[in-house]
Amino acid sequence: MAGHASLEAPLCSEQFGSRAARGCSAAADGSLQWEAWGWRWRGFPRAFKGEPEGRDGGDGGPPGPASPLLSRLLTVFLPQGFPDSVSSDYLPYQLWDSVQAFASSLSGSLATHAVLLGIGVGNAKASVSAATATWLVKDSTGMLGRIVFAWWKGSKLDCNAKQWRLFADILNDVAMFLEIMAPIYPICFTITICISNLAKCIVSVAGGATRAALTMHQARRNNMADVSAKDSSQETLVNLAGLLISLLMLPLVSHCPSFSLSCFFLLTALHIYANYRAVRALVIETLNEGRLWLVLKHFLQRGEVLDPTSANQMEPLWTGFWPSLSLSLGVPLHRLISSVFELQQLVEGHREPYLLHWDQSKNQVQVVLSQMAGPETVLRAATHGLVLGALQEDGPLPGELEELRNRVRAGPEKESWVIVKETHQVLDKLFPKFLKGLQDVGWKTEKHQLEVDEWRATWLLSPEKKVL
């Protein structure tokens, strides 16, 4: 107590990341007296006390009473600067992601055991050349599937990263189920494991691409490499634990296929549940078509803009691939027009750097983007298309849009271009308020996750355009 009493007012202080600062005072003998460390990490109920370590190790010294081993271990598996260097949803997502990885590791061990059994491992009558040929055919099928899927869906994975992440993990479970069932039907063994490996390669593409998209979302200090590396360390640790448990589990189930299948179904249920919880924990602040529709619908009905947390909780995960409205952004101009009259009709009333065509019968909106269209223009064009979709649905709308909806239901479809022209005028008043509301509640409008093709156009018959 005497030592503390002799301390004078703090001369300086230091702080590591978001942890509580510690002060330094002058002692009676002229030396510097530093306060003990203490901090609280977001997501942990209790404070940790101890010397922090930076990337270069700092001067914290070996773990001791004032520097617990747990805090040092956390620096091995968490990005530097955690929690401020990552998004607020990082910890719950990573915890559930670790649970699903553990369940998947155990299921994978059961599937690998079944595949090796089917190929002939342990069977003296099995042919090495036949097993090698089967393995090569399996791998070749998967490689071709990986290339085709990456070409077919690669550009769409960013837009619905959560849905594709969930899809990839469920498909992985289906692939492992096929592998477990393959030895039961030896006649179909080769084709079964080929289909299974094809599914696993699709999982590899979809899972890897969406993981990269989520890493970009989680990294908040241009630290994507660190976040990705620590995610890899966490996954390695979980897989190592899974391997150790598998060594104990496989001898128990190897002679009882029914018990093995029961364990697989139990692990699969845990895997799907953990994946759902992990994906549901994500709070992505950029707008894709699904989140934009939820936020816009709430805005049109109640005049309020949903914040990212609320919208992400409401976002559909199972049906997010199939919105009711077909919205195509960045379509080629030649797809929509075949004459000067059609071009004039399409351009009329469009003062923004995009042209919009609405097909009421197919509930389809196609948007041609100008060379000058920026992110906010694309956001307005998507909003415009979704507003037209709202005219064909039930629910309360602002007065001007309610009047247009009555005309849509009563009028002929050939006057769609007239409705499009008038919704431009409505959006001139509505969109600035909507855009400001998005920014005020935390949405990042300077970028988006809307699916946009590469086609751009210019048109001479349009009035002077605005660039958002």
Side-chain angles (χ1 to χ4, degrees), residues 379-401:
L379 185 60
R380 170 171 171 138
T383 302
H384 193 167
L386 294 175
V387 165
L388 291 173
L391 297 180
Q392 292 189 312
E393 295 190 2
D394 297 324
L397 290 175
E400 294 173 315
L401 290 177

Side-chain angles (χ1 to χ4, degrees), residues 445-464:
T445 58
E446 68 276 6
K447 55 183 180 180
H448 57 76
Q449 290 181 327
L450 297 165
E451 184 181 343
V452 184
D453 208 344
E454 295 300 314
W455 289 94
R456 297 295 183 272
T458 57
W459 46 91
L460 299 176
L461 300 178
S462 60
E464 184 178 354

Side-chain angles (χ1 to χ4, degrees), residues 18-20 38-49 82-83:
S18 63
R19 304 164 192 176
W39 57 76
R40 183 179 297 275
W41 277 351
R42 186 168 57 227
F44 290 95
R46 297 181 180 179
F48 291 95
K49 291 186 177 181
F82 173 86

Side-chain angles (χ1 to χ4, degrees), residues 333-466:
L333 183 58
H334 69 263
R335 184 186 298 176
L336 305 182
I337 58 173
S338 59
S339 66
V340 175
F341 173 75
E342 289 180 352
L343 176 60
Q344 292 174 333
Q345 191 179 68
L346 186 65
V347 169
E348 186 176 353
H350 285 75
R351 295 185 297 275
E352 303 295 331
Y354 67 87
L355 302 177
L356 190 147
H357 178 265
W358 182 32
D359 188 333
Q360 293 186 47
S361 61
K362 299 179 181 178
N363 200 19
Q364 181 182 58
V365 174
Q366 295 175 294
V367 179
V368 178
L369 295 174
S370 166
Q371 296 281 4
M372 297 182 293
E376 289 187 8
T377 295
V378 175
L379 185 60
R380 170 171 171 138
T383 302
H384 193 167
L386 294 175
V387 165
L388 291 173
L391 297 180
Q392 292 189 312
E393 295 190 2
D394 297 324
L397 290 175
E400 294 173 315
L401 290 177
E402 183 68 39
E403 180 182 344
L404 287 175
R405 178 162 64 184
N406 294 333
R407 289 174 54 188
V408 167
R409 292 176 175 177
E413 294 181 2
K414 65 181 181 180
E415 294 187 358
S416 294
W417 66 276
V418 178
I419 302 297
V420 170
K421 178 181 176 180
E422 295 190 16
T423 51
H424 262 293
Q425 300 173 3
V426 175
L427 278 177
D428 285 340
K429 303 176 183 178
L430 194 68
F431 185 72
K433 181 181 177 181
F434 179 58
L435 181 63
K436 185 178 185 305
L438 290 173
Q439 296 167 344
D440 289 344
V441 298
W443 290 101
K444 296 179 179 179
T445 58
E446 68 276 6
K447 55 183 180 180
H448 57 76
Q449 290 181 327
L450 297 165
E451 184 181 343
V452 184
D453 208 344
E454 295 300 314
W455 289 94
R456 297 295 183 272
T458 57
W459 46 91
L460 299 176
L461 300 178
S462 60
E464 184 178 354
K465 309 176 194 66
K466 299 187 293 183

Side-chain angles (χ1 to χ4, degrees), residues 209-318:
T210 53
R211 178 63 252 183
L214 296 180
T215 299
M216 185 181 296
H217 156 70
Q218 291 174 333
R220 295 303 164 98
R221 290 183 179 172
N222 295 321
N223 58 338
M224 278 188 60
D226 186 29
V227 173
S228 180
K230 296 303 171 56
D231 177 70
S232 179
S233 295
Q234 296 167 24
E235 186 173 356
T236 301
L237 179 65
V238 170
N239 287 336
L240 178 60
L243 289 175
L244 295 177
I245 298 299
S246 296
L247 291 175
L248 302 175
M249 179 182 66
L250 287 177
L252 301 177
V253 302
S254 58
H255 301 294
C256 184
S258 59
F259 183 48
S260 175
L261 203 57
S262 299
C263 290
F264 173 77
F265 284 132
L266 179 63
L267 291 169
T268 298
L270 176 61
H271 180 240
I272 294 176
Y273 175 74
N275 265 294
Y276 176 81
R277 290 296 301 271
V279 171
R280 184 56 79 188
L282 290 169
V283 180
I284 300 178
E285 301 97 340
T286 48
L287 291 162
N288 63 0
E289 186 177 337
R291 291 189 287 274
L292 178 59
W293 170 240
L294 286 172
V295 175
L296 178 63
K297 186 176 181 180
H298 190 271
F299 176 75
L300 293 177
Q301 292 179 351
R302 303 187 183 183
E304 301 174 350
V305 176
L306 285 173
D307 60 88
T309 301
S310 301
N312 277 268
Q313 289 297 316
M314 297 168 60
E315 183 181 6
L317 298 178
W318 307 106

Side-chain angles (χ1 to χ4, degrees), residues 99-162:
V99 173
Q100 70 85 18
F102 180 73
S104 181
S105 178
L106 296 180
S107 298
S109 299
L110 295 173
T112 301
H113 175 268
V115 171
L116 294 176
L117 183 65
I119 288 178
V121 174
N123 185 355
K125 297 181 181 180
S127 168
V128 175
S129 59
T132 303
T134 300
W135 201 269
L136 291 176
V137 171
K138 173 181 76 74
D139 286 351
S140 300
T141 304
M143 291 175 186
L144 291 174
R146 186 194 302 267
I147 294 172
V148 172
F149 181 77
W151 161 77
W152 182 35
K153 292 294 184 180
S155 62
K156 297 175 172 54
L157 299 178
D158 280 313
C159 304
N160 295 295
K162 294 195 288 187

